[in-house]
Amino acid sequence: MTGYVWTPSQDYVERANVTRLARRHGCAGIDELRARSVGDVGWYWNAVVEDLGLPFATPYRQVLDLSRGVEDPDWFVGGELNIADACLGRWAADPEGRDRPAVVHESEDGTVTTLTFAELADRVSRVSSGLRNLGIRRGDAVALYLPMAPEAVIACYALARLGAVLVPLFSGFAPGAIASRLADADATAVIVAAATVRRGRTVAMTASVREAVLSCPTVQHVVVVGEAGEGEAGDGEVAWADLLAADPDTMPAEQMASTDTLLLAYTSGTTGRPKGAVHTHAGFLVKTASEVAYSFDLGPGGRFCWITDMGWIMGPLSIFGTHANGATLVLYEGSPDVPDLDRLWRLVERHRVTMLGVSPTLIRTIRSSDRSDDDFDLSSVHVLGSTGEPWDADSYDWLAIDVFGGRVPVINFSGGTEVGGSFLAPYPVEPIGSCSLGGPSLGMDVDVVDASGQSVRGQVGELVCRQPWPAMTRGIWRDRERYLEAYWSTFPGVWHHGDHALVEDGQWFLLGRSDDVMNVAGKRLAPAEVEAVLIGHPSVAEAAAVGVPDATKGEAVWVFWVPRLGVGDADISANLRDMVAAALGKPFAPKAVHRVAQLPKTRSAKIMRRAVRAAALGQDPGDLSGAENPEAVEAIRAAIGGG
């Protein structure tokens, strides 16, 4: 890692939300607060509820009950609430909050829509009434196949008000992927956008849902946002405009038990039945509110923008976490590199974003253009957020130093769909080294262990969590054994997350998923280590490293790299191989180096290494429904075939 370290000013520390929390409970700083938060997790999560004023209609009588075991914790026992009241209703009813912007939406064509908390609450009430008239009731599963648009926010709150279960889907899923999730959830309805815009093209969305529901007899209604298009509306289809035209809902929000299901968050996989992580009204509220308040230092008046999708946990986290803190959610619908790679900076400048969330690959792509950000006013940014994959130091330092002048922290946090937020995160009040994840998130008893489950430092190990947390999935939907096998079978009584991590000199680093790690001649090598070397070459914009079977070494390293803009046809494969050998050792020199036009990525710009490896081996890459550019798999196969 480089020598860059974010060091907060005293003024920054004094103003931070997490400082307020620490001092309220007599903690001298973040280190003491971290230690206390895992010494008594019940104390900590109760402190979050009180500090952020999260409202329970019926107060809970016990914070945490472990009588059924660590795998099945009960949080906020006896409490009742509705997340729509906690995130929206209380601000809409507040004379000082009702006229604050709740949602600012910008589409790829530049159109901007703004809704205040009062306006958002009115639309939520009307859509809630309309859905009630359709027969949607407490416990019904309703899927959302929507881009990051105001309707996605309205639908989330309207369904939560009714006590229905949200099933957010990736907005690029094909019919088969949609159908499998609808069937697994027993969905009774789907809310779908007629179309979205992506890279200047109108992308129809209704056709995929119409095909999917043909094999899902539980689906009774399809609600279409916008003009239905593509022929006559099918049976059971309802216009979103009709829901908005309904009278406001006269019924109060359903009061849900703390442990009642709020949403099913489906994780992507290579094969088999989809895996739906179960999140609850209280658990998801408290965890996401704490992330946004303390890691991202947001409160009323702040503006939160994360380039993401409803089908990833960052979509729901952005909505509920931002509004739980009374802040403004800035949504972007479209590709962040249209019409050019300055789009992100224009978005920040135009909407005065204070918390900007990005992925490392997106930043690498922007950096590869060699364009200047000097013409944009980025002074509103107070915190940068990042998740999804490891950083390389050059790109991290470029963002932190060259673009933002070292004046704001990069909150590089890591968790997952089943976590409902982060395991690891730095806090803006502490020094943060380049590429570091800081340390365990507050209230998260995280550790790195060896194969025997013993804590290790200074060497790569498995990331685990020794105590439960409020947003820990309550299981895999309808699959108890899969839940226990996935998270609790490796180290009994300890959550095993499947990530390789390293703690060195007090700083925490993730090195990728355990199943991505390569075993070269008996030595474990994380893809991020190889990729960081490759990206250091001035001609390389992106890179992916995968392990392939090798008769001599067990596994050999193959790498695929994407050239930066303006790079000619010169073959630098030998140079790249030598760079890796010099940096990591000759045994790790790539056996194959291939130049490709693109790498398969998710819509949030995360490289899909499993698809890269499958293409390299000529195997079926599995489910590519979450890919932004599935054609990249064929490009990799062609590159291999071409030598």
Side-chain angles (χ1 to χ4, degrees):
M1 299 303 164
T2 69
Y4 171 72
V5 178
W6 152 260
T7 304
S9 67
Q10 189 58 38
D11 181 64
Y12 205 114
V13 173
E14 290 293 326
R15 293 172 180 269
N17 293 330
V18 74
T19 300
R20 178 192 68 232
L21 176 68
R23 290 179 178 171
R24 181 174 181 175
H25 295 279
C27 296
I30 188 63
D31 291 339
E32 186 176 335
L33 183 61
R34 262 199 182 104
R36 188 173 175 188
S37 76
V38 297
D40 186 346
V41 293
W43 165 82
Y44 172 72
W45 292 108
N46 182 66
V48 170
V49 173
E50 293 179 346
D51 183 61
L52 300 181
L54 301 176
F56 280 71
T58 301
Y60 45 88
R61 62 179 181 271
Q62 183 179 354
V63 180
L64 174 61
D65 178 3
L66 289 176
S67 60
R68 294 193 298 140
V70 68
E71 302 90 348
D72 297 289
D74 281 330
W75 286 93
F76 310 110
V77 181
E80 291 185 326
L81 76 164
N82 190 293
I83 201 169
D85 286 340
C87 295
L88 176 59
R90 65 170 168 150
W91 307 114
D94 178 3
E96 295 184 2
R98 60 181 285 105
D99 294 325
R100 283 202 307 264
V103 175
V104 175
H105 168 255
E106 179 173 317
S107 61
E108 194 176 271
D109 66 6
T111 303
V112 175
T113 302
T114 300
L115 294 175
T116 66
F117 277 100
E119 291 169 335
L120 177 59
D122 177 69
R123 297 193 186 193
V124 166
S125 178
R126 293 177 184 277
V127 171
S128 173
S129 179
L131 291 169
R132 192 188 299 276
N133 293 339
L134 290 180
I136 303 299
R137 295 291 183 266
R138 180 179 182 135
D140 287 346
V142 178
L144 308 179
Y145 188 60
L146 298 165
M148 296 301 287
E151 290 80 7
V153 181
I154 295 166
C156 281
Y157 287 127
L159 290 165
R161 257 189 118 260
L162 297 173
V165 177
L166 310 175
V167 185
L169 303 176
F170 167 57
S171 61
F173 272 152
I178 297 170
S180 64
R181 288 154 178 81
L182 296 181
D184 189 71
D186 269 349
T188 61
V190 184
I191 301 176
V192 55
T196 186
V197 176
R198 194 77 181 168
R199 300 189 184 280
R201 297 185 300 109
T202 298
V203 180
M205 299 180 70
T206 48
S208 294
V209 167
R210 286 171 180 160
E211 181 177 338
V213 299
L214 292 176
S215 58
C216 299
T218 60
V219 175
Q220 300 170 23
H221 304 286
V222 174
V223 178
V224 180
V225 178
E227 297 296 325
E230 299 194 27
E232 301 271 336
D235 291 340
E237 290 193 7
V238 179
W240 175 265
D242 291 344
L243 301 186
L244 275 177
D247 292 331
D249 200 345
T250 58
M251 300 289 289
E254 286 281 327
Q255 293 309 306
M256 311 297 289
S258 297
T259 54
D260 280 343
T261 301
L262 167 69
L263 66 88
L264 303 181
Y266 280 94
T267 60
S268 59
T270 54
T271 60
R273 180 178 159 200
K275 187 168 65 173
V278 180
H279 289 297
T280 66
H281 274 253
F284 199 71
L285 167 67
V286 176
K287 176 64 170 166
T288 59
S290 71
E291 306 280 37
V292 172
Y294 306 134
S295 290
F296 302 123
D297 201 37
L298 201 74
R303 294 195 164 205
F304 184 105
C305 178
W306 204 292
I307 306 302
T308 187
D309 187 271
M310 280 302 297
W312 286 297
I313 201 66
M314 283 308 304
L317 185 153
S318 297
I319 293 171
F320 295 119
T322 299
H323 290 155
N325 286 282
T328 301
L329 178 63
V330 178
L331 301 174
Y332 178 66
E333 179 186 353
S335 176
D337 59 358
V338 173
D340 53 48
L341 292 173
D342 290 334
R343 183 61 183 256
L344 186 67
W345 310 138
R346 285 196 295 271
L347 187 73
V348 170
E349 180 181 60
R350 183 174 189 179
H351 302 298
R352 307 304 296 159
V353 171
T354 61
M355 205 307 298
L356 175 65
V358 297
S359 72
T361 300
L362 175 59
I363 296 305
R364 284 192 282 266
T365 301
I366 294 174
R367 181 181 174 226
S368 72
S369 70
D370 290 324
R371 295 172 66 92
S372 172
D373 55 89
D374 295 341
D375 295 334
F376 302 97
D377 179 3
L378 307 180
S379 61
S380 63
V381 176
H382 177 68
V383 171
L384 294 164
S386 164
T387 192
E389 58 182 332
W391 278 94
D392 65 282
D394 287 347
S395 300
Y396 183 105
D397 292 358
W398 177 80
L399 177 67
I401 302 171
D402 296 354
V403 179
F404 285 94
R407 67 173 184 82
V408 298
V410 179
I411 304 302
N412 179 25
F413 86 140
S414 181
T417 302
E418 310 92 322
V419 182
S422 68
F423 270 146
L424 300 171
Y427 289 87
V429 297
E430 64 183 335
I432 306 170
S434 178
C435 303
S436 174
L437 286 148
S441 300
L442 292 170
M444 307 298 282
D445 193 5
V446 181
D447 199 1
V448 177
V449 302
D450 61 19
S452 65
Q454 298 300 307
S455 295
V456 293
R457 297 294 182 265
Q459 69 183 70
V460 177
E462 294 281 351
L463 188 70
V464 300
C465 194
R466 298 188 180 277
Q467 296 187 74
W469 62 98
M472 186 179 92
T473 178
R474 290 192 60 82
I476 301 304
W477 186 248
R478 295 170 156 184
D479 201 333
R480 169 81 176 168
E481 292 306 313
R482 191 177 184 188
Y483 166 66
L484 295 174
E485 172 65 26
Y487 307 111
W488 301 100
S489 63
T490 304
F491 306 107
V494 176
W495 175 286
H496 171 240
H497 196 55
D499 279 332
H500 269 121
L502 170 69
V503 184
E504 197 165 50
D505 298 326
Q507 297 285 312
W508 291 59
F509 304 92
L510 277 188
L511 302 176
R513 296 293 296 171
S514 302
D515 50 11
D516 283 340
V517 171
M518 299 168 280
N519 192 326
V520 181
K523 298 180 178 64
R524 301 180 75 79
L525 180 67
E529 297 178 81
V530 179
E531 293 160 7
V533 176
L534 299 169
I535 294 168
H537 193 287
S539 296
V540 178
E542 299 171 2
V546 298
V548 301
D550 182 82
T552 303
K553 296 183 177 182
E555 272 192 309
V557 179
W558 282 25
V559 301
F560 300 85
W561 63 279
V562 177
R564 295 182 67 153
L565 295 177
V567 171
D569 296 329
D571 185 1
I572 61 169
S573 295
N575 292 350
L576 295 177
R577 184 180 290 107
D578 291 344
M579 284 177 62
V580 174
L584 302 177
K586 289 184 179 179
F588 302 119
K591 186 173 183 178
V593 181
H594 295 282
R595 171 175 169 159
V596 293
Q598 57 182 325
L599 295 168
K601 290 182 285 188
T602 66
R603 187 161 289 184
S604 60
K606 181 178 177 180
I607 294 172
M608 302 177 73
R609 290 182 184 84
R610 65 169 177 82
V612 174
R613 186 174 188 274
L617 295 174
Q619 297 174 346
D620 181 358
D623 182 9
L624 292 178
S625 55
E628 166 78 356
N629 56 338
E631 68 277 6
V633 172
E634 293 304 321
I636 290 173
R637 288 182 175 138
I640 295 170

